[in-house]
Structure formats: structure tokens, C-alpha cells
Amino acid sequence: MGSGIVSNLIKMGHTVTVWNRTAEKCDLFIQEGARLGRTPAEVVSTCDITFACVSDPKAAKDLVLGPSGVLQGIRPGKCYVDMSTVDADTVTELAQVIVSRGGRFLEAPVSGNQQLSNDGMLVILAAGDRGLYEDCSSCFQAMGKTSFFLGEVGNAAKMMLIVNMVQGSFMATIAEGLTLAQVTGQSQQTLLDILNQGQLASIFLDQKCQNILQGNFKPDFYLKYIQKDLRLAIALGDSVNHPTPMAAAANEVYKRAKALDQSDNDMSAVYRAYIH
Amino acid sequence: MGSGIVSNLIKMGHTVTVWNRTAEKCDLFIQEGARLGRTPAEVVSTCDITFACVSDPKAAKDLVLGPSGVLQGIRPGKCYVDMSTVDADTVTELAQVIVSRGGRFLEAPVSGNQQLSNDGMLVILAAGDRGLYEDCSSCFQAMGKTSFFLGEVGNAAKMMLIVNMVQGSFMATIAEGLTLAQVTGQSQQTLLDILNQGQLASIFLDQKCQNILQGNFKPDFYLKYIQKDLRLAIALGDSVNHPTPMAAAANEVYKRAKALDQSDNDMSAVYRAYIH
Amino acid sequence: MGSGIVSNLIKMGHTVTVWNRTAEKCDLFIQEGARLGRTPAEVVSTCDITFACVSDPKAAKDLVLGPSGVLQGIRPGKCYVDMSTVDADTVTELAQVIVSRGGRFLEAPVSGNQQLSNDGMLVILAAGDRGLYEDCSSCFQAMGKTSFFLGEVGNAAKMMLIVNMVQGSFMATIAEGLTLAQVTGQSQQTLLDILNQGQLASIFLDQKCQNILQGNFKPDFYLKYIQKDLRLAIALGDSVNHPTPMAAAANEVYKRAKALDQSDNDMSAVYRAYIH
Amino acid sequence: MGSGIVSNLIKMGHTVTVWNRTAEKCDLFIQEGARLGRTPAEVVSTCDITFACVSDPKAAKDLVLGPSGVLQGIRPGKCYVDMSTVDADTVTELAQVIVSRGGRFLEAPVSGNQQLSNDGMLVILAAGDRGLYEDCSSCFQAMGKTSFFLGEVGNAAKMMLIVNMVQGSFMATIAEGLTLAQVTGQSQQTLLDILNQGQLASIFLDQKCQNILQGNFKPDFYLKYIQKDLRLAIALGDSVNHPTPMAAAANEVYKRAKALDQSDNDMSAVYRAYIH
């Protein structure tokens, strides 16, 4: 999470303990006044509310269920807020084990990117323990510009996957348009100018096209994570027998981009799948 | 074209002659002071510059090459501006026959919808005779908020197809997201609220989602025309061996929507392909 | 498994114990001389070699790891042969727990359908414990016309998913061709006659087309299982960043068929996704 | 067309006149006793029945309507048999102009490849003038093992496109399976062995896999032509609002193969789209 958030939380008078598998990633937070936890279990033991954000369903489960994991620190009344973007089954399973130990659980995945995170401008989708959601309101204000409470556990996961599915599919479409412009001899800059004059104009469209025009694929939202979200969104559709042909087509394009070593670039690097 | 445009042109002191295969579609223009031409050939004979806008490549060719068509009225110096969205081959062929008779040719397809047309807020993409483009500048100002000159004939057709391909694919993605929300028990209104808070927010996204939430598919941009443009954009990619998997997936969804009798509804009615 | 197999095994002098969650499904086998086990654990306890075949990864795990499951009966030297079609991760996990208790493990998914199973004409793909594979050879001869040993555990799962991916995608293509014939006014029977004269002619093509022409979708290979296999094959591609656009397109068509209540029909009922 | 055919026709007592844009392609036929025509018009003038086979709709039109084209030689009673695989609109247009001059028209596209052509084992799909079809029966016997008469002009074009759509989509599926085997560490030869043991076994499957395993992409059926047929089949679906998602996915894969310079290789070279 962005350093601005930790800094905000400390200014608000909260005591903040941080942990990361790669300890040096915590250095910046510690400089701002956070203390370093030794294990997830220790963080949970010493804090009222623990916020977690990891990369995928497996990491989310390992964090809770693994050795010295979150579950070891859960006691009645302890609060756990999982901000990872995972599937509804995973988050529901985690909620069950934490609640069965007397803990309180909230899922709260975030929509946005690194820059928005640093600026405390994330959109937070929350579901689960409504009281915990309200207890978190000042923290969420420090992190994001808006939060939504979506009811029972699993709803935030589903909604976030749908949001990211729309974003990931649109990104592939943008890349497809820009490459088709190039191979047919049209100016990509002019295409962007035209799109920016029309009703499709959005911050996302402009920023992602700028990335591509500048060949700057520094990760803002990792390509490997948007592909993971497309995969999970397709599986969500699968679970209810709902066809998602656009997401399915996009997913295949991102897989090609991953095969071209673009996993750790920004999602806009899906562009490269179209030019190789 | 929007009545506002004809009205603007007349206010600017131009004499306007109009023709439509269905004569009553001209009534409004005539009330505003336009005169009625009897055939395309007659319109071209009596006007310095003729603007045309029809539905697809076949209609564009018939208008020029058919009986009492545009070509019958072309004499040296006559100007013909085709504002239809067609493929580059068609517009190039029309340019050749008109120029071979001494006429001047400009292609000028427009990006936008009925409302923007009425408001004179279209984006105009022009290519062909640069002098004619400059001669049209006051007319284009009456019609649109911006115009681009893109070089040789065919470029505007290509660029417009790419713009509409992006739009048509994104529309299918939006419909896919809204239906996936519904079948997984999420609120479509909340999904829209979340998207409107994020970087994807755009007029297009908001308006098309509103259409769907309200079940209002009154045509702003006909579904059958966006499908035609997807088809032509895919063919454009075909001509240069460039894969367009997103557009190809979208095209299949629109074909399903057409099979469900949505051709004459707005493009947002592609939503119905996902719920049947 | 087909009754012919159990009957063959008994004739060969083997003592056969059977178990199914739905006990009456065992009746036929019992009439042929098999005895009924009360739980999976009991079957494993009383037999040298246990063969299992269930519907999907979750069922395969539950059978081994669940209450009174296979694992409860595993002791050093016990042999477990899982003939289910699942993903490589699942089968590898099951192999590990069984081997860690001293058991021997072989995966042996089968390619074929109900009819071939009854006739002992299945193709068996085996991987894991080579010695166990050899010990099973007479049993495998009772079941199938051919078996392949593919090396380490997981290979048979992968290969089977690829085989079924090819089959499932081709089935969707066949349905697409037959419906396109119909809607364009061509005879479906003539299309089949033409295909049967050409190099594409195969038993599969002929039988599946016959099913469709006769509107007979009695399950030979359940549609829900081929869709499951497509899903797992796509995930297999995902794990190695390999695009599978044909399987992805097919998967979406099968999802539509499932939404149209075709899950428990034969895979050829994917045809119905094209006519609704 | 295969040399065996011309040789057969001559042995049957027919006088054969041949023409090709590239005259040396006729050398073999001339050695076998055919005479060389100077233009398409001349061939038609001197023969009772003219057979033609070219690459695509544009070539088929040029041959008939171009300078010194077929139409110049058509007089009442002359027979023209177009064996090209084109779309129904093209063949219908050609039929009209030829019949309007008093000629008789039969479309007769062929299913098969170079080898089958040499062996006189093609499958012939005919439509149009039934009497002409019967007059051609001995010639068709020289060329093919079977012929079908499908009714009015356009039906053979449609049926052939459907047959080739099935073939082209299946070819892409085969390539997808073989590459997925490779990248997941499975033997491609073993995959083929397994498929050859199962119900999918066909001459096509075996030959195309052999091509790929041997890296031998010598054209038997040009990749560029199967892509053209997929494009026309998709357009056929488009004309009746019928979705063809499998063909659409396949078409995009072939476009990638064309971008990788595989146009003039065999259709099995679509494999290369999956490994680059």
C-alpha cells in the first residue's frame, strides 16, 4: 500500500505494525513511524485491526493458514481486513476460518493503481462484517476517496473481478486499436487525439495510450495481475454458466503477452502481444 | 444529419438542397429553408459542394454510380464530400471515378451520435482533397466541434473504422460486465457507480450503462451500423494480416444481437445477446 | 465403468469390491459377482489395487481426503489407481499423500465414451508408478484396447486434457458447421455426406452429426464434463502462458449450452447453443 | 487441376484446351495432348464446356468480366463450369451475366487437395444448371470420386465454405493441441498416437499432424486459401446473423500465421502462429 496511507494513519493517531515477506519493503513505512512485525501472527496479536493485501488466492490462503500465519494470532474480537483481489470462494473460506475462531472479517479489495494508492484516492469495495466496515471508516478515508459496502462476504470479490474484467478487456481493445492504426499507416497520436475528443475520453484511455506511445510500461497495474483477474472473472462466469467471450478473448491476448515476458510490466504492455 | 446543421448552414448564408430516398425525411430541412432536390444528380448539378451520408459501402456506391446518381451531375470543379463510414477500398474507388470526371473529392466520416449531430458536436475525420477540406471549414464548423485532416483518400475511412472498432468492442465489454454482475447477484447500479468513481469514467460508459439500466434502447448509434463497422474493421485487419481477436469476439456477440432483432436498436442493445 | 469390465475382471479370477456414493449404481456389478464395499476406506483396506473414477478435481480430492476416504485405508503396499480426468495439480497432490503413507499411486484417465467402456475399448493414459502400471496390465486389457505409460504423475492428466480439448473444440466446430448449413438453407444430411466422403471422415464426426440430425442427445460423454475439461485445459495453458484461443472460444459456447440446461446431455448438445 | 485429370479426359476422347495466366503452368497438360488457348475468351469460343478454377472472388470475376475474358466467348449454348471456391454472391453474379448471354452455368467447387486432385479423388459440389451437371458427369468422374448436385446457383459455394470452415477450424484446434503438448512437456508423437487410437482418427488428422511433426509445410492446401475461406464463411454467417465464434477465433490465428509469412505454406503451418 502507498506510503501516504501509513503516514495518514499515523497522523490520525493509530499505532501501525507492518510485515512483508520481503522485509525491506517495510523500510519506508518504518521511517514514517510504523513498527515492524516479525510474523503475520504477531501482527494480528498486537493489533486490533489487521489489513492485508497480497497478490492472488494462493498467497491470501498461505498468509492466513500457513505457519506463523494470521490464524495463529486470531482471538475473539480480532479484526482481519483482506484487501487482496481474489475469488469469492477463497475469501469466503478465509472468512469462515477466522469467524470460527471468534474473529471478525471484512473483505475490502481496492480499485486503482499505484499512483492513486499513494494519493489516497483508491475506490474500496467492502463486504462482510458491517460493524467492522464502520470501524474502518477513518482508515478507509485515509486510503481512498470512496468506499462501497456490498453485503455478504464474497460480493466485493465478485464486484472487483467484474470491474477489473471490464478494465482488462478494454485495455486489450485499446492496444488492438493502436496497433491496427500503426499497421494501416495511421498516426497513433492522431487516433488518441480523436478518441480524446469523443465520448470515450477517460483518464484510463489517455494514460494507457500515453504509456504505449511513449513505450513506457513501468508497472502501475501489473500485467500478470490483470491477467489473473481476467482468469478469475472468467471462472466466476463459469460458476454461473454465463458466457464472457470478450474476457475470454482478452485473456488469450494477455497470455501471449506473458509468454513475451511482459508479466512484470504494466497491463498496457499487452500492446506487445499485438506487435510480435 | 441533424437539423441543427442545416439550420446553421442556412444562417451562414448558404443555399442548401437536400435529397433522401425517403422524401419525407427531408421535410424538417425544408421547413428550415432548404430546397428539395429530385435526384442525387440534380443536387450535384445545382450545388458547388455536395455532402452525402449513407449507411454502408453498397449504399455509398449506389448513390454515386446508380441511375440519376451523383456521377451524372459531376462536372469539372464540382465538389463531393462523402461523410459515410465505409471501407477504404470503397471510398478510394468513388474518389477515382469522381476525380476522373474532373470533380473534387473529400471523404469526411463523422464520429458521434444523433444527439451530438443535432448539437453540431461531431468529430469529423477528413481525407482527400486538401483544398476542398479548407473550403469546407465553415461547414464543418457548423457540424462538428473538431475536424482532422488525415492525408490521402482512404485514411479517414481507416481511422473511423478503428475508432468505431474500439467503441463497439468496449460496448460489448460493458454489456458483458453488467450481465455478469446481474447473474452473480450484484447490483448493476452499484457497478456503474463504482466505474464512475474510477479512471474508466467516460460519457460513453455512463450513457450506455444508463441505457441498459433503464432498458432504453432507442437508437443513438444503430446496432446494425456498429456491427457493420466491426466487420469492416476486421476486414481492414485482414488486408494487412493483423489479428483483431477482441473485435472478432465482439462481432460475434453483435451478430447474436442482430439474430435477436436488435439491429434497429441502439448499440447498447448488444446487452440482450448476453441475456438470451 | 462399464459392466463388461467388472465382468471381465471377475472372469479373470479377480475378487472385485465396488463402492459408489449412490449405492444402487453398484447393483449391476453385484449381480455379476462383485461385493459391495461400505466406504472408500473399506474398499482400499480389503483390496490390493483400488480403481477410482469420479467427475472432477473436487470429487477426486474428497474421495481420497474426505471422511472414510481412501487415505484411511492406505497402508504400505496398497495400490491406488485414479482413472478420473482431473488437472495435474490435483493428481500430483493425491499422489503425494498416498505415497507419503507408503501407498503406490497411478493415474490412469481414460479416453472414450460409455459405449467403448461397455465394450472394453477405452484408451488408457497412465502415469506414475511404473511397476503398478505393469501390475495393472491384465486389468487394463480388460478395460481398454490400448494403454500408454507417460512417465511421471501429472503427465496423464495433462495429455488427457489436451486430447479432450481437441475433441471438445472440434465438437463445437461441427455444431457451428451444421447450424450454418441450416440457416443458409443447406441440407445438414448432405453436409454430413460430403464430410464423410472427405479426409475429415471419422467415427466421432459421423456419430456426433448423427446425434444432432436425430435430435438424440442421450449422454455418451456428458456436456458438463467436456466443458470442465476445456476449462482445465485452458488453465493448463494458462500455467505455461500458452494461448489457446480455439479452446477459449469453445468453452464460451459450452457455457451457453449449460445455461440452456444441456449439462446432462451429450456434448453434441452444444449444437443447441447455436440455435437459441 | 491435377495432370491425371487432363490425361483422363484426353483418354476419354475429349479435346482439351488449356489456359493459365502463367503459360508455363500449362506445359505438363500440353505434353499430355492438350492444346493451349491464347485467352479465356478463345478457350470458351473453341470449347463446348469450359472449366475454370481460380483463387478467390476477385480472380473469378476478372476471369469472366476482364479483357479477353470468358464473357467475350460466351454465345448461346456455351457452357461454363466454375470450380473455384468463392462466395455465393460472386457465383450468382457470374451465373447471371453468363445466362443473360445465352450461356449455361454450373458452379462446381471441389473439396480436396493437390494429392487427391492428381489421383482424381476430389469431391465435387455442383449447383446451377442441372442439365449441364449431367452433361459433365463423365468429366466429373475423371476428376473426382463423388459429386453432389445441390440445386440453385450459390448452394455449392455456401456448402463448400462450410466444409472448409470446419476443416480450417479443426486444423487450428489440432495445432493448438500439439503446441500445448509441447509446452507442457508432453510428446507430440504420443499425442498423435493416442488420437489415432480414438474415435477422432481421420486421414486429415493424421496427415496434418505428420506435417507438423516433420516440419514439412509444403502446400497441399494453401494457408492463404483456407484463411480466405474462413473469412468468406464468417461473412456468410454475417449475412444471416449467425454467430460463428469458432471460425472467428480460427481466422484470427490464421491471420497471425499470414503475418509470419506462412501464406504460401500448407494450412498446417498455422502451427507456427502458436509458437511465435
Side-chain angles (χ1 to χ4, degrees):
Chain A
M1 259 171 263
S3 59
I5 294 171
V6 168
S7 158
N8 279 351
L9 289 170
I10 289 168
K11 277 184 210 141
M12 291 161 72
H14 295 291
T15 304
V16 176
T17 306
V18 293
W19 179 86
N20 191 294
R21 193 171 301 276
T22 311
E24 47 271 42
K25 287 198 182 172
C26 296
D27 287 353
L28 189 64
F29 301 137
I30 289 164
Q31 285 169 28
E32 291 177 343
R35 60 175 291 275
L36 185 68
R38 280 179 303 179
T39 64
E42 197 212 76
V43 172
V44 174
S45 298
T46 56
C47 296
D48 297 327
I49 305 180
T50 302
F51 295 92
C53 191
V54 295
S55 62
D56 64 19
K58 188 174 178 314
K61 283 189 194 176
D62 287 351
L63 185 67
V64 172
L65 306 172
S68 302
V70 165
L71 202 60
Q72 310 303 319
I74 292 290
R75 291 187 302 277
K78 287 286 181 188
C79 298
Y80 185 64
V81 182
D82 193 334
M83 304 187 79
S84 315
T85 293
V86 297
D87 58 296
D89 284 352
T90 296
V91 81
T92 302
E93 181 184 335
L94 296 180
Q96 281 167 350
V97 298
I98 282 168
V99 169
S100 73
R101 299 284 180 99
R104 296 165 70 195
F105 184 86
L106 189 72
E107 58 164 340
V110 290
S111 179
N113 54 30
Q114 196 54 52
Q115 186 55 46
L116 293 178
S117 174
N118 291 344
D119 298 349
M121 292 292 280
L122 298 168
V123 174
I124 297 167
L125 307 188
D129 187 316
R130 169 131 217 160
L132 176 52
Y133 171 68
E134 281 155 12
D135 293 348
C136 289
S137 72
S138 66
C139 296
F140 285 164
Q141 280 166 22
M143 296 176 197
K145 63 170 181 171
T146 330
S147 67
F148 292 84
F149 184 77
L150 301 172
E152 63 181 18
V153 165
N155 281 349
K158 289 174 189 171
M159 194 64 104
M160 184 56 66
L161 290 177
I162 296 168
V163 167
N164 286 356
M165 177 185 89
V166 170
Q167 200 167 51
S169 297
F170 187 36
M171 181 70 247
T173 287
I174 292 170
E176 189 165 299
L178 285 172
T179 49
L180 185 55
Q182 186 175 47
V183 296
T184 57
Q186 305 306 307
S187 155
Q188 294 183 326
Q189 179 64 58
T190 303
L191 174 58
L192 174 55
D193 293 344
I194 293 167
L195 291 169
N196 274 340
Q197 290 288 330
Q199 300 198 311
L200 273 177
S202 69
I203 296 171
F204 182 85
L205 174 69
D206 187 56
Q207 288 191 348
K208 296 311 185 190
C209 286
Q210 296 289 0
N211 286 356
I212 291 170
L213 288 172
Q214 295 159 15
N216 167 19
F217 297 115
K218 201 163 68 68
D220 186 50
F221 193 118
Y222 281 104
L223 188 141
K224 65 185 171 192
Y225 293 150
I226 197 75
Q227 192 270 330
K228 180 255 306 175
D229 290 350
L230 279 165
R231 177 167 48 86
L232 294 176
I234 294 166
L236 177 62
D238 206 305
S239 70
V240 290
N241 296 332
H242 190 66
T244 51
M246 298 300 293
N251 191 38
E252 298 304 319
V253 182
Y254 282 99
K255 280 157 71 176
R256 180 171 295 276
K258 286 177 73 183
L260 294 164
D261 276 329
Q262 302 301 312
S263 289
D264 291 320
N265 275 335
D266 185 63
M267 66 159 87
S268 48
V270 70
Y271 178 79
R272 288 184 168 152
Y274 280 98
I275 53 173
H276 291 279
Chain B
M1 258 172 262
S3 59
I5 294 170
V6 168
S7 158
N8 280 351
L9 289 170
I10 290 168
K11 277 184 210 138
M12 290 161 75
H14 295 290
T15 304
V16 176
T17 306
V18 294
W19 179 85
N20 192 293
R21 193 171 301 277
T22 311
E24 46 270 41
K25 287 195 181 174
C26 296
D27 288 352
L28 191 62
F29 302 139
I30 290 164
Q31 286 167 28
E32 291 177 344
R35 60 176 291 276
L36 185 68
R38 280 179 303 177
T39 64
E42 197 213 77
V43 173
V44 174
S45 298
T46 57
C47 296
D48 296 327
I49 305 180
T50 301
F51 296 91
C53 191
V54 295
S55 61
D56 63 20
K58 188 175 178 311
K61 283 189 194 176
D62 286 351
L63 185 65
V64 172
L65 307 172
S68 301
V70 165
L71 203 59
Q72 310 303 320
I74 292 290
R75 290 188 301 276
K78 286 287 179 186
C79 299
Y80 186 64
V81 182
D82 193 335
M83 306 189 78
S84 315
T85 294
V86 297
D87 57 297
D89 284 353
T90 296
V91 80
T92 302
E93 181 184 335
L94 295 180
Q96 281 167 351
V97 297
I98 283 168
V99 168
S100 73
R101 299 283 180 100
R104 297 165 69 195
F105 184 86
L106 190 72
E107 58 164 340
V110 289
S111 179
N113 55 30
Q114 195 55 52
Q115 186 56 46
L116 293 177
S117 174
N118 291 341
D119 299 349
M121 292 291 280
L122 299 168
V123 175
I124 298 167
L125 308 187
D129 187 318
R130 170 129 217 161
L132 177 52
Y133 172 67
E134 282 154 13
D135 293 347
C136 289
S137 71
S138 66
C139 296
F140 285 165
Q141 280 166 23
M143 296 177 199
K145 64 170 182 174
T146 332
S147 68
F148 293 84
F149 184 77
L150 302 171
E152 63 182 18
V153 165
N155 280 350
K158 289 175 189 170
M159 194 64 104
M160 184 57 64
L161 290 177
I162 295 168
V163 167
N164 286 356
M165 178 186 88
V166 170
Q167 200 167 49
S169 296
F170 187 37
M171 181 69 248
T173 286
I174 292 170
E176 190 165 296
L178 285 172
T179 49
L180 185 55
Q182 186 176 46
V183 296
T184 58
Q186 306 306 306
S187 157
Q188 294 183 325
Q189 179 65 58
T190 304
L191 173 58
L192 174 55
D193 292 345
I194 293 166
L195 290 170
N196 274 340
Q197 291 288 330
Q199 300 196 311
L200 274 177
S202 69
I203 296 172
F204 182 85
L205 174 70
D206 187 57
Q207 287 191 348
K208 294 311 184 190
C209 286
Q210 295 290 359
N211 286 357
I212 291 170
L213 288 171
Q214 294 160 16
N216 168 19
F217 298 113
K218 202 163 69 67
D220 187 49
F221 193 119
Y222 282 104
L223 188 139
K224 65 185 169 191
Y225 293 151
I226 198 75
Q227 192 270 330
K228 179 256 303 176
D229 289 349
L230 280 164
R231 178 165 49 84
L232 294 176
I234 293 166
L236 177 62
D238 207 304
S239 69
V240 290
N241 296 332
H242 190 66
T244 52
M246 298 300 292
N251 191 39
E252 298 304 320
V253 181
Y254 282 98
K255 279 156 72 174
R256 181 171 294 277
K258 286 177 72 182
L260 294 164
D261 276 331
Q262 302 301 312
S263 290
D264 291 320
N265 276 335
D266 185 62
M267 66 157 88
S268 48
V270 70
Y271 177 80
R272 288 187 168 150
Y274 281 98
I275 55 175
H276 289 282
Chain C
M1 259 172 262
S3 59
I5 294 171
V6 168
S7 159
N8 280 350
L9 290 170
I10 290 168
K11 278 184 210 142
M12 290 160 74
H14 295 290
T15 304
V16 176
T17 306
V18 294
W19 179 85
N20 191 294
R21 192 170 302 276
T22 309
E24 48 271 41
K25 287 195 183 175
C26 297
D27 287 353
L28 190 63
F29 301 138
I30 290 164
Q31 286 167 28
E32 291 178 345
R35 60 174 290 275
L36 184 68
R38 279 179 305 177
T39 64
E42 197 211 78
V43 172
V44 174
S45 300
T46 56
C47 296
D48 297 327
I49 304 181
T50 302
F51 296 92
C53 191
V54 295
S55 62
D56 63 21
K58 188 175 178 313
K61 284 189 193 176
D62 287 351
L63 185 66
V64 172
L65 306 172
S68 301
V70 165
L71 203 60
Q72 309 303 318
I74 292 290
R75 289 187 304 276
K78 286 287 181 186
C79 299
Y80 185 63
V81 182
D82 192 336
M83 305 188 79
S84 315
T85 294
V86 297
D87 56 296
D89 284 353
T90 295
V91 81
T92 303
E93 182 184 334
L94 295 180
Q96 282 167 350
V97 299
I98 283 167
V99 169
S100 73
R101 301 283 180 98
R104 296 165 70 194
F105 183 87
L106 189 73
E107 58 165 340
V110 289
S111 180
N113 54 29
Q114 196 54 53
Q115 186 55 47
L116 293 177
S117 175
N118 292 342
D119 298 349
M121 291 292 279
L122 299 169
V123 174
I124 297 168
L125 307 188
D129 186 317
R130 171 131 215 160
L132 177 52
Y133 171 69
E134 283 157 9
D135 293 347
C136 289
S137 72
S138 67
C139 297
F140 285 163
Q141 280 165 22
M143 296 177 200
K145 64 171 182 173
T146 331
S147 67
F148 292 85
F149 184 77
L150 302 172
E152 63 181 18
V153 165
N155 280 349
K158 289 175 189 171
M159 194 64 106
M160 184 56 66
L161 290 177
I162 295 168
V163 167
N164 286 356
M165 178 185 88
V166 170
Q167 199 167 52
S169 296
F170 186 37
M171 181 70 247
T173 286
I174 292 169
E176 191 166 296
L178 285 172
T179 50
L180 185 55
Q182 185 175 49
V183 296
T184 57
Q186 305 307 307
S187 156
Q188 294 183 324
Q189 179 65 58
T190 304
L191 174 57
L192 174 55
D193 293 343
I194 294 166
L195 291 169
N196 274 340
Q197 290 288 330
Q199 300 196 312
L200 275 176
S202 69
I203 296 172
F204 183 85
L205 174 71
D206 187 55
Q207 288 191 349
K208 295 311 183 189
C209 286
Q210 296 289 359
N211 286 355
I212 291 170
L213 288 171
Q214 295 160 15
N216 167 20
F217 298 113
K218 200 164 70 68
D220 186 51
F221 194 118
Y222 281 105
L223 188 141
K224 63 185 173 192
Y225 294 150
I226 197 76
Q227 192 269 331
K228 179 256 305 176
D229 290 350
L230 279 165
R231 179 165 48 84
L232 295 176
I234 294 166
L236 177 61
D238 207 304
S239 70
V240 289
N241 297 330
H242 190 67
T244 51
M246 298 301 291
N251 191 38
E252 299 304 319
V253 182
Y254 282 99
K255 280 157 71 174
R256 180 171 295 276
K258 285 177 73 184
L260 293 165
D261 276 331
Q262 302 302 312
S263 290
D264 291 321
N265 276 335
D266 185 61
M267 66 157 87
S268 49
V270 70
Y271 177 78
R272 289 187 167 149
Y274 281 98
I275 54 174
H276 290 281
Chain D
M1 256 171 267
S3 59
I5 294 171
V6 168
S7 157
N8 280 350
L9 289 171
I10 291 168
K11 278 184 211 139
M12 289 160 76
H14 296 289
T15 304
V16 177
T17 306
V18 294
W19 179 86
N20 192 294
R21 192 171 302 275
T22 310
E24 47 270 40
K25 287 195 181 172
C26 297
D27 288 353
L28 190 62
F29 302 138
I30 290 165
Q31 286 168 27
E32 291 177 344
R35 62 175 290 276
L36 184 68
R38 279 180 303 176
T39 64
E42 197 212 77
V43 172
V44 174
S45 298
T46 57
C47 296
D48 297 327
I49 304 180
T50 303
F51 297 92
C53 192
V54 295
S55 62
D56 63 21
K58 190 176 177 313
K61 283 188 195 177
D62 286 352
L63 185 66
V64 173
L65 306 172
S68 302
V70 165
L71 203 58
Q72 309 303 320
I74 292 290
R75 289 188 302 275
K78 287 285 179 186
C79 299
Y80 186 65
V81 182
D82 192 334
M83 306 189 78
S84 315
T85 293
V86 297
D87 58 296
D89 284 353
T90 296
V91 81
T92 303
E93 183 184 334
L94 296 180
Q96 281 168 352
V97 298
I98 283 168
V99 169
S100 73
R101 300 283 179 101
R104 297 165 70 194
F105 184 87
L106 189 72
E107 57 164 342
V110 289
S111 180
N113 54 30
Q114 196 54 53
Q115 186 56 47
L116 294 177
S117 175
N118 291 343
D119 299 349
M121 291 293 278
L122 299 168
V123 175
I124 297 168
L125 308 187
D129 186 317
R130 170 128 219 161
L132 176 51
Y133 171 69
E134 283 155 10
D135 293 347
C136 290
S137 71
S138 65
C139 296
F140 286 163
Q141 280 166 21
M143 298 177 197
K145 65 171 181 173
T146 331
S147 67
F148 292 84
F149 184 77
L150 302 172
E152 63 181 19
V153 166
N155 281 349
K158 290 175 189 172
M159 195 64 105
M160 184 56 65
L161 290 177
I162 296 169
V163 167
N164 285 356
M165 178 185 88
V166 170
Q167 200 167 49
S169 297
F170 187 37
M171 182 68 248
T173 286
I174 292 170
E176 190 166 296
L178 285 172
T179 49
L180 185 54
Q182 185 176 46
V183 296
T184 58
Q186 306 306 306
S187 155
Q188 294 183 326
Q189 179 66 57
T190 304
L191 174 57
L192 175 55
D193 293 344
I194 294 167
L195 291 169
N196 274 339
Q197 290 289 330
Q199 300 197 311
L200 274 176
S202 68
I203 297 171
F204 183 85
L205 174 70
D206 186 56
Q207 287 191 347
K208 294 311 182 189
C209 287
Q210 296 289 1
N211 286 355
I212 290 170
L213 288 170
Q214 295 160 17
N216 167 19
F217 298 114
K218 198 163 69 70
D220 185 50
F221 193 118
Y222 281 104
L223 188 140
K224 65 185 172 190
Y225 293 150
I226 198 75
Q227 192 269 332
K228 179 257 306 177
D229 290 349
L230 280 165
R231 177 165 49 85
L232 294 176
I234 294 166
L236 177 61
D238 207 303
S239 70
V240 290
N241 296 330
H242 190 67
T244 50
M246 298 301 292
N251 191 37
E252 298 304 319
V253 182
Y254 282 98
K255 280 156 71 175
R256 180 171 295 279
K258 285 177 71 183
L260 294 164
D261 276 330
Q262 302 301 312
S263 289
D264 291 321
N265 276 334
D266 185 62
M267 66 157 90
S268 49
V270 70
Y271 177 79
R272 289 186 167 152
Y274 281 98
I275 53 174
H276 290 282

